[in-house]
Amino acid sequence: MLRVGGKAACMACRNLVSTNMGLRFLAPLQKLHPLSRAIHHRYSGNGNPQRPPHRMAARYFTSMSRLPMRPLKPPPGSGGHGYQQQRNFWVARLAARLLKLRYILLGTAVGGGYTAKKTYEEWKEMLPDFSEYNWVIPDFVWDLSEQIDFDKLAKALPEMEEIAKLLPDLDKIGENFTFLKSLLSSGVSLGSEVKGAGLHLLLETSVDPSLKATDSSTAATQDASDKQYKKSSDKEKVDQLQEELLRTQLKYQRMLERLEKENKELRKVVLQKDDKGIHQRKVKKSLIDLYSEVLDILSDYDANYNTQDHLPRVVVVGDQSAGKTSVLEMIAQARIFPRGSGEMMTRSPVKVTLSEGPHHVAMFKDSGREFDLTKEEDLAALRREIELRMRKSVKEGQTVSPETISLSVKGPGIQRMVLVDLPGVISTVTTGMASDTKETIFSMSRAYMQNPNAIILCIQDGSVDAERSIVTDLVSQMDPQGKRTIFVLTKVDLAEKNLASPSRIQQIVEGKLFPMKALGYFAVVTGKGSSAESIDSIKDYEEDFFQNSRLLRDGMLKAHQVTTKNLSLAVSDCFWKMVRESVEQQADVFKASRFNLETEWKNNYPRLRELDRNELYEKAKNEILDEVISLSQVTPQHWEAILQKKLWERVSTHVIENIYLPAAQTVDSGTFNTTVDIKLKQWTDKQLPHKALEVAWETLQEEFARFMAEYKGKDQDDIFDKLKEAVKDESIKRHKWNERAMDSLRVIQHNALEDRSITDKPQWDAAIQFMEETLQSRLKDTDSVIRDMVGPDWKQRWLNWTNRTADQHIRNETKNELERLLKLHDDHTAYLANDEVTTVRKNLEGRAVEVDPGLIKDTWHQLYRRHFLQKALAHCNLCKRGFYYYQRHFVDSELECNDVVLFWRIQRMLVITANTLRQQLTNTEVRRLEKNVKEVLDDFGEDMEKKTHLITGRRVQLAEDLKKVREIQEKLEAFIEALHKEK
């Protein structure tokens, strides 16, 4: 403007000097200086001009401007007259400068204004028709139409032939659309100023100047025209005019939609043309993708901090089967959600991130597969995947799940926003649903809507009675002022057909029927209810319906309140407005939260690194694997000693009670050996190998636990104790011993027990020592049992002030009687005859002791056992010198040491079995256990719920919160930076 104004000022000054006005300006200066009179004389017709007057004048003014400003001294001898002339000339020069400045400013203003007006007119002619975007005009502009007297207006309008002349020039409109197409393809976005100018131009071009003249004449002739026309004819003319205008508007709307489709194709070509640009776009995430990542992080955040999540998103709520999913599909321009007839399909929240892209594709947050939404097979696969994820997220015994499914949809012309589709609100729990389904859906909807920056997209079914609505009451509770609610009335085609009074629809979209308030009200049609309909067919059906609907024709609905296209534009604008207003405030909230958490960590854990749960798990995993590897460092001697000891503890009772004692009570050595061989064979075939493998497996477990306990004492973190115990139990549970080793072990044990040849004296002495230790241990146990039966002796009664019970007194008397019997019959058998039982009983009755025969036999068993073990120990001592007789095979010798040979066979079997099990442990089972531990650790690592349960504590939670808050803050800062760049 300044440049144009300056140019105009120069032209004005030149014209000023070259005109008579310029000469008139110079005329008064003739009286002041002779040179000025000469200029006037030369260019007033008295001379022959040699240069154009404006150039001479400009040159003269230039020379005048270069004159010195200080007064000249009068020449000597001239007196004061010459000095007075010079002073007057100096005053004239000053006046000329001031006058020159005034005319320069005047010329600049006139020229600049003229040029600005001309440029404004050129821009007005270049702008396209914006009639489709009438929804941008505030409602108060439309409200003015209610105050217009259409009867008077109709009388002032010309006939239909004249109206046809008033239609805009289509060629000129075509040029305007071509210009709009070039603007859109080059990426130029029209600002709010151009929008306003376009609307102003639309209002001006839709009315001919002759109508303005007619309007001015109408005021003078209004009374006369009222008498000439009848009311019926006036109404018909108004209806005809409205129909003509509506057809014209729809015609231009189709043209604009065609141009938009062409623009989408051009955008595709531009995006696909440059491979380098495509690569850069893949690397650099879009603005809406950055924002969606922040919401994904917050959806996984701990529930204690969800109250801080006040970031905007569009929350879609509505009654079940109200058309929520259909509205989302129209906005996403693809049938992406599972569909069902009347049943609940949305069982968990679905977060859909919409953005623009060259291809119409969809992708899950945790998957790399892209679903091509232009192919029906990919659409079907996407719907199946969404339904499968929903069913997996629902726990057993529940109907809905709070777990969010994150999905992104990209495509040409899709409005950028983030929507969350919630399960439909129900009024009754039906068969097959969990009893708390209704309350769960209500609480889930409240949790999303209570976010003060969430935009609530309230979906209401227009085909049912408004009084049956549940969601409107819920929305009015969460947003009573309606500052962030957009109301959508679906199935308007059915509503118009079913309702007797269409004005009821008008009351709904004007916010006069429901108690809730909203920012805007929209009416949409999302198809005929068939699942086979495509998005394009639904759009065509919706457009045809509103073109022919009397709701729009009669003014019950405004043009900007209908179609899902206008809805998506309005929701997107509201979403980004809310984002720009609140995102920086939310970033400050997380910044403060981060500072508080970092301060708490520094005060409580100053010397520890901030390891979150995953990092701590990796650390514990390495420790556990180190402990498992340590099993391979156990020496063979240690393994065999442990195995031999544990195996004998497990089988000693069977050997003594079922093999040795029955064989020792035989008459001769032949019977003894035969009995031993039979019982050993039976034991080896049925029990011994299983017992040995059980012992080996238990030994492996105990050693594994011992190593983990030892590592725990070496400055290990006690935060891993629960995890290590769970890993140990699960690994042992999964580990199964190689059963194929049992057959070979049975053969080895059988061969070891069949060998009776003791080759040297050390082996003989070792067998005697083993036998002696075993018998002494059994004797000690038997003495303990007898003491418990008979109670404390006299010494303990005096020292501890204890007495025997009545039962102990009876058993003590019975013991004394049976001991006298054993003294009389030292070689008595293990069983007491009936007559002997009767004799003992009568003897006790003679001492006034009533005793039961069963008690006598039970007491006899323990006494005879002790007696036998004492005799066996005595015989064992005698056999210490019996190796000579055994080696020389003196069968007739009185010293028979067959029991020593038995214990040698048992001992040798234990040694060989321990050696075999040790080899299997070190060569096979330890490695298999290590493999099982790794598998368990890998499984636990993939199960976040398991890790959360096993690695707990304030330290862990604090590190987790710090990681999350930092990540959210960084993502928000990156998003805010990108948002400012886009502005």
Side-chain angles (χ1 to χ4, degrees):
M1 180 66 73
L2 294 176
R3 181 171 57 85
V4 175
K7 181 179 178 182
C10 294
M11 294 174 60
C13 291
R14 189 179 354 177
N15 296 334
L16 177 66
V17 177
S18 63
T19 56
N20 291 332
M21 183 179 68
L23 294 176
R24 286 196 298 272
F25 167 71
L26 295 174
L29 299 178
Q30 299 178 58
K31 301 177 182 180
L32 301 178
H33 199 273
L35 182 58
S36 65
R37 289 196 299 272
I39 294 174
H40 180 71
H41 175 73
R42 184 174 184 181
Y43 293 101
S44 60
N46 297 331
N48 298 320
Q50 297 177 358
R51 292 186 178 90
H54 62 87
R55 292 184 180 177
M56 188 64 186
R59 180 179 180 185
Y60 173 70
F61 280 120
T62 305
S63 63
M64 288 178 62
S65 64
R66 293 174 181 172
L67 293 176
M69 298 302 293
R70 61 181 181 273
L72 299 175
K73 295 182 181 180
S78 62
H81 180 70
Y83 178 76
Q84 182 66 28
Q85 290 181 350
Q86 292 176 0
R87 188 178 62 180
N88 292 337
F89 183 69
W90 178 79
V91 174
R93 285 204 311 273
L94 179 61
R97 287 191 178 186
L98 295 176
L99 291 174
K100 176 183 177 182
L101 179 62
R102 182 181 65 183
Y103 283 105
I104 287 175
L105 294 176
L106 178 61
T108 302
V110 173
Y114 173 77
T115 306
K117 181 178 179 182
K118 186 176 180 181
T119 306
Y120 173 67
E121 295 295 335
E122 292 177 355
W123 269 94
K124 284 173 61 178
E125 294 178 359
M126 292 167 64
L127 288 174
D129 185 6
F130 283 86
S131 59
E132 185 188 358
Y133 301 99
N134 288 340
W135 58 274
V136 181
I137 303 176
D139 291 340
F140 68 84
V141 177
W142 299 105
D143 294 338
L144 295 175
S145 61
E146 300 177 359
Q147 304 176 8
I148 299 175
D149 190 350
F150 285 96
D151 295 334
K152 295 180 181 180
L153 178 61
K155 297 172 185 178
L157 292 174
E159 298 298 331
M160 294 303 299
E161 295 78 10
E162 299 180 3
I163 294 175
K165 300 177 182 179
L166 302 179
L167 294 177
D169 188 1
L170 295 179
D171 296 334
K172 191 172 183 179
I173 292 174
E175 295 176 0
N176 293 338
F177 276 110
T178 304
F179 175 71
L180 175 61
K181 181 177 177 181
S182 64
L183 286 178
L184 294 174
S185 62
S186 60
V188 178
S189 60
L190 296 178
S192 58
E193 297 85 357
V194 180
K195 287 184 180 179
L199 294 174
H200 180 66
L201 178 61
L202 175 64
L203 296 176
E204 289 188 356
T205 55
S206 62
V207 181
D208 193 84
S210 62
L211 283 180
K212 299 180 181 178
T214 307
D215 292 339
S216 61
S217 62
T218 303
T221 60
Q222 183 174 358
D223 296 335
S225 61
D226 290 342
K227 298 178 182 179
Q228 294 176 1
Y229 298 100
K230 295 181 180 179
K231 293 184 178 181
S232 59
S233 61
D234 296 342
K235 187 174 182 181
E236 291 177 358
K237 289 183 179 181
V238 171
D239 293 340
Q240 292 176 359
L241 180 60
Q242 287 181 349
E243 291 178 0
E244 289 290 334
L245 292 176
L246 183 60
R247 283 196 293 270
T248 304
Q249 181 183 4
L250 294 175
K251 179 180 179 181
Y252 293 150
Q253 185 174 355
R254 291 193 196 98
M255 294 175 62
L256 184 59
E257 289 178 353
R258 186 174 67 253
L259 291 174
E260 287 179 349
K261 291 181 180 179
E262 294 177 1
N263 182 45
K264 289 180 182 178
E265 297 298 327
L266 290 175
R267 283 178 179 267
K268 274 188 178 182
V269 173
V270 171
L271 292 174
Q272 296 173 355
K273 187 175 181 181
D274 188 3
D275 293 337
K276 183 178 179 181
I278 293 175
H279 178 69
Q280 290 176 353
R281 272 184 291 276
K282 287 183 179 179
V283 173
K284 184 178 180 181
K285 296 181 180 179
S286 64
L287 189 64
I288 191 65
D289 290 335
L290 290 174
Y291 186 76
S292 179
E293 286 183 357
V294 176
L295 297 182
D296 287 336
I297 297 172
L298 287 171
S299 65
D300 299 333
Y301 205 24
D302 187 73
N304 295 330
Y305 289 86
N306 279 341
T307 54
Q308 297 183 4
D309 177 16
H310 290 166
L311 292 174
R313 72 261 282 166
V314 181
V315 180
V316 185
V317 295
D319 298 334
Q320 183 178 344
S321 301
K324 296 186 297 80
T325 302
S326 299
V327 172
L328 259 66
E329 289 180 334
M330 292 295 291
I331 295 176
Q333 301 181 16
R335 307 298 298 269
I336 59 177
F337 291 104
R339 294 184 291 273
S341 56
E343 60 177 328
M344 178 182 292
M345 298 304 299
T346 306
R347 297 180 177 272
S348 65
V350 181
K351 182 178 75 66
V352 184
T353 303
L354 301 177
S355 60
E356 189 175 15
H359 305 289
H360 202 185
V361 295
M363 181 186 297
F364 290 99
K365 177 188 72 172
D366 54 355
S367 174
R369 178 185 177 184
E370 278 191 351
F371 296 88
D372 189 350
L373 302 183
T374 60
K375 299 179 180 179
E376 186 57 38
E377 56 270 19
D378 279 20
L379 279 171
L382 177 61
R383 289 192 289 266
R384 287 195 301 269
E385 181 67 20
I386 293 176
E387 184 175 5
L388 180 63
R389 287 173 179 256
M390 285 184 181
R391 295 190 180 277
K392 283 184 177 180
S393 65
V394 177
K395 296 181 179 179
E396 186 177 356
Q398 299 295 321
T399 307
V400 294
S401 169
E403 184 177 342
T404 303
I405 299 174
S406 184
L407 178 70
S408 63
V409 178
K410 297 183 180 181
I414 295 180
Q415 299 297 320
R416 301 179 304 168
M417 66 184 94
V418 178
L419 304 101
V420 180
D421 185 21
L422 298 178
V425 179
I426 60 175
S427 59
T428 305
V429 177
T430 59
T431 305
M433 291 185 178
S435 58
D436 61 343
T437 302
K438 178 179 178 181
E439 291 75 14
T440 303
I441 295 176
F442 267 84
S443 61
M444 192 187 306
S445 302
R446 289 192 185 97
Y448 276 90
M449 289 191 293
Q450 71 183 2
N451 178 0
N453 296 320
I455 301 165
I456 304 173
L457 196 62
C458 180
I459 309 297
Q460 172 62 36
D461 189 352
S463 63
V464 300
D465 295 335
E467 289 76 12
R468 294 168 57 185
S469 175
I470 306 173
V471 70
T472 51
D473 293 336
L474 180 61
V475 172
S476 62
Q477 295 174 7
M478 306 309 297
D479 184 23
Q481 301 300 323
K483 294 182 179 180
R484 50 189 181 89
T485 301
I486 297 177
F487 181 86
V488 182
L489 186 67
T490 61
K491 306 178 184 179
V492 183
D493 52 341
L494 299 178
E496 184 184 35
K497 188 182 301 182
N498 298 336
L499 290 179
S501 175
S503 60
R504 192 172 177 86
I505 299 178
Q506 183 180 6
Q507 291 179 340
I508 294 176
V509 297
E510 290 178 353
K512 298 179 180 179
L513 188 62
F514 289 108
M516 60 170 290
K517 298 179 182 179
L519 280 173
Y521 296 84
F522 289 86
V524 298
V525 175
T526 55
K528 301 178 182 179
S530 173
S531 60
E533 289 181 290
S534 65
I535 293 295
D536 292 334
S537 63
I538 295 175
K539 285 183 179 179
D540 295 339
Y541 174 73
E542 184 183 39
E543 180 182 350
D544 293 340
F545 168 76
F546 283 115
Q547 286 178 2
N548 302 319
S549 174
R550 67 190 187 107
L551 296 173
L552 192 63
R553 186 173 62 249
D554 294 346
M556 296 183 184
L557 296 177
K558 299 181 179 63
H560 69 280
Q561 289 183 306
V562 298
T563 71
T564 51
K565 180 179 180 181
N566 289 337
L567 170 64
S568 62
L569 289 171
V571 173
S572 178
D573 290 344
C574 187
F575 169 76
W576 285 107
K577 179 182 177 183
M578 188 72 77
V579 167
R580 289 186 175 93
E581 290 176 354
S582 61
V583 67
E584 293 189 1
Q585 180 182 0
Q586 293 302 307
D588 293 338
V589 171
F590 283 100
K591 185 176 181 180
S593 177
R594 173 180 176 177
F595 175 79
N596 295 336
L597 294 174
E598 288 177 344
T599 303
E600 183 180 354
W601 183 275
K602 290 178 182 178
N603 292 333
N604 295 327
Y605 312 103
R607 297 183 179 180
L608 295 177
R609 289 191 301 123
E610 299 168 5
L611 300 178
D612 60 11
R613 185 171 279 109
N614 291 329
E615 293 170 335
L616 287 171
Y617 183 81
E618 291 299 322
K619 182 180 177 182
K621 179 179 178 181
N622 295 330
E623 290 186 7
I624 294 173
L625 292 177
D626 291 341
E627 294 163 7
V628 175
I629 293 175
S630 300
L631 284 174
S632 60
Q633 301 176 0
V634 179
T635 61
Q637 295 79 6
H638 181 75
W639 278 119
E640 292 181 9
I642 297 175
L643 289 170
Q644 186 174 345
K645 179 181 179 182
K646 284 186 167 296
L647 182 59
W648 175 240
E649 290 176 354
R650 183 66 58 87
V651 302
S652 59
T653 301
H654 181 83
V655 170
I656 299 299
E657 301 295 335
N658 299 328
I659 298 177
Y660 173 64
L661 291 179
Q665 296 173 10
T666 57
V667 178
D668 52 18
S669 61
T671 308
F672 177 88
N673 292 331
T674 303
T675 304
V676 168
D677 291 343
I678 293 174
K679 291 186 177 293
L680 287 177
K681 180 67 169 59
Q682 295 174 349
W683 182 46
T684 306
D685 292 339
K686 296 180 180 180
Q687 299 181 9
L688 183 56
H690 295 280
K691 296 289 184 181
L693 292 182
E694 289 178 2
V695 168
W697 178 222
E698 292 176 1
T699 303
L700 181 62
Q701 296 180 35
E702 292 178 0
E703 288 299 300
F704 182 36
R706 181 176 67 85
F707 273 98
M708 294 185 71
E710 290 179 357
Y711 266 81
K712 179 180 177 182
K714 297 179 181 179
D715 298 330
Q716 296 298 311
D717 202 335
D718 56 357
I719 205 171
F720 302 143
D721 292 348
K722 197 173 182 181
L723 173 63
K724 290 182 177 181
E725 190 68 23
V727 171
K728 184 194 72 173
D729 295 341
E730 183 66 22
S731 301
I732 292 172
K733 181 180 178 181
R734 295 186 183 183
H735 185 84
K736 292 183 179 179
W737 200 273
N738 188 2
E739 297 294 336
R740 291 178 298 179
M742 185 177 297
D743 296 334
S744 60
L745 180 63
R746 180 181 291 107
V747 173
I748 293 172
Q749 291 174 338
H750 189 273
N751 293 335
L753 290 173
E754 282 187 346
D755 189 7
R756 298 190 183 90
S757 59
I758 304 176
T759 58
D760 53 17
K761 185 72 166 53
Q763 292 184 11
W764 181 271
D765 294 339
I768 291 178
Q769 182 180 1
F770 175 60
M771 177 181 175
E772 189 176 13
E773 291 175 354
T774 303
L775 295 177
Q776 286 178 351
S777 175
R778 294 292 166 178
L779 180 59
K780 183 177 180 181
D781 296 337
T782 304
D783 287 337
S784 176
V785 171
I786 293 174
R787 282 196 300 270
D788 293 338
M789 291 173 59
V790 300
D793 55 8
W794 66 271
K795 185 177 180 181
Q796 291 177 343
R797 290 199 302 272
W798 277 99
L799 294 177
N800 300 329
W801 291 84
T802 57
N803 292 318
R804 292 171 177 162
T805 62
D807 182 69
Q808 290 175 344
H809 177 72
I810 294 173
R811 283 187 177 273
N812 184 58
E813 294 294 332
T814 305
K815 177 184 78 72
N816 294 333
E817 187 66 26
L818 292 173
E819 284 179 345
R820 284 194 290 269
L821 178 62
L822 282 174
K823 288 180 179 180
L824 294 175
H825 305 280
D826 186 64
D827 55 349
H828 200 287
T829 61
Y831 300 100
L832 197 64
N834 291 331
D835 55 347
E836 294 176 330
V837 172
T838 303
T839 303
V840 171
R841 184 179 179 185
K842 289 183 178 179
N843 293 336
L844 292 174
E845 287 178 354
R847 294 198 296 269
V849 177
E850 296 291 336
V851 64
D852 186 72
L855 187 144
I856 296 173
K857 292 181 179 181
D858 185 35
T859 306
W860 169 258
H861 175 73
Q862 297 299 330
L863 290 176
Y864 180 82
R865 182 186 180 88
R866 184 176 66 177
H867 174 72
F868 175 81
L869 291 174
Q870 289 173 350
K871 287 178 63 177
L873 281 171
H875 180 71
C876 181
N877 291 326
L878 293 175
C879 287
K880 288 180 181 180
R881 55 185 178 85
F883 178 71
Y884 174 78
Y885 298 100
Y886 167 79
Q887 194 175 25
R888 296 294 185 272
H889 301 288
F890 290 159
V891 180
D892 296 334
S893 174
E894 295 181 357
L895 186 60
E896 294 181 356
C897 297
N898 294 318
D899 48 358
V900 177
V901 177
L902 171 63
F903 277 93
W904 178 82
R905 294 165 68 183
I906 298 295
Q907 187 181 37
R908 187 168 180 270
M909 182 274 299
L910 293 176
V911 173
I912 294 176
T913 302
N915 181 268
T916 304
L917 294 175
R918 188 267 305 169
Q919 293 181 15
Q920 187 175 355
L921 281 172
T922 56
N923 297 335
T924 306
E925 303 303 329
V926 171
R927 295 178 182 177
R928 292 181 62 226
L929 178 62
E930 182 179 354
K931 182 180 178 181
N932 289 339
V933 171
K934 290 180 179 179
E935 291 177 355
V936 171
L937 289 172
D938 291 340
D939 293 343
F940 284 5
E942 295 176 359
D943 190 348
M944 193 62 200
E945 184 178 355
K946 180 77 73 175
K947 288 193 292 187
T948 304
H949 175 69
L950 296 176
I951 304 179
T952 58
R954 179 55 187 164
R955 169 185 154 196
V956 182
Q957 191 61 48
L958 188 59
E960 283 284 307
D961 295 345
L962 267 172
K963 177 185 175 182
K964 291 288 186 181
V965 170
R966 284 172 181 161
E967 187 177 7
I968 293 171
Q969 185 186 0
E970 291 172 0
K971 295 287 186 182
L972 278 176
E973 289 175 353
F975 171 73
I976 293 171
E977 182 180 358
L979 187 65
H980 290 328
K981 288 181 179 179
E982 188 183 63
K983 288 183 181 179

